Amino acid sequence: MPSEATLEAFIAAVESGEHAQAIEDFYTEHASMRENQSEPRRGRQLLVAHERAVLARTASVASRCVRPVLVNVDHVVVRWIFDFVGNDGRRMHLEELAWQRWEGERIAEEEFFYDPAQMKPA
């Protein structure tokens, strides 16, 4: 179960735009991520590389946690809002729920739920 301080530090890292660093700092070495029940990506280094590739395609991303954050022992649900500006100037607004399973102070498993229609640039 993550401590409140760890959870707040994780949220602060994401909100500050340190997405790849947040994965390095707050995910287990064997962590997995999946989107809308697709095939999961596995391993922290792969997750970091994927995040860096996404960020390389963006000029900016604003990230905001919508509270409350729901915590039940080792399971956490965070509602996120992301506003992306691509390198080509296109904008995209994405709202998602991130379901996380923590092992102690690190995320071991994360699944994102969002409407794929949001992926179309505005």
Side-chain angles (χ1 to χ4, degrees):
M1 175 175 175
S3 67
E4 185 175 341
T6 297
L7 192 50
E8 289 301 324
F10 167 70
I11 291 167
V14 174
E15 288 184 328
S16 72
E18 298 297 324
H19 298 90
Q21 188 64 50
I23 294 169
E24 289 184 19
D25 293 345
F26 294 97
Y27 289 67
T28 65
E29 186 176 331
H30 61 275
S32 68
M33 282 184 185
R34 65 190 294 183
E35 304 197 31
N36 284 344
Q37 299 178 331
S38 65
E39 202 54 40
R41 297 181 297 277
R42 297 185 190 281
R44 184 173 55 217
Q45 292 311 311
L46 177 66
L47 302 180
V48 170
H50 182 269
E51 194 69 19
R52 286 189 177 135
V54 169
L55 294 172
R57 296 190 301 267
T58 64
S60 68
V61 58
S63 308
R64 182 169 59 96
C65 170
V66 180
R67 298 193 184 260
V69 174
L70 306 175
V71 180
N72 184 356
V73 189
D74 289 335
H75 293 93
V76 174
V77 177
V78 182
R79 180 178 169 200
W80 293 107
I81 294 178
F82 300 103
D83 287 297
F84 294 90
V85 178
N87 290 332
D88 59 2
R90 292 187 202 179
R91 297 180 178 277
M92 182 179 67
H93 179 83
L94 177 69
E95 184 171 343
E96 71 180 17
L97 293 177
W99 175 91
Q100 304 167 337
R101 184 180 59 77
W102 289 67
E103 290 180 358
E105 295 290 303
R106 291 185 175 262
I107 299 166
E109 183 180 359
E110 187 167 43
E111 185 165 358
F112 305 109
F113 297 92
Y114 55 86
D115 180 355
Q118 297 178 100
M119 301 301 281
K120 297 176 185 170

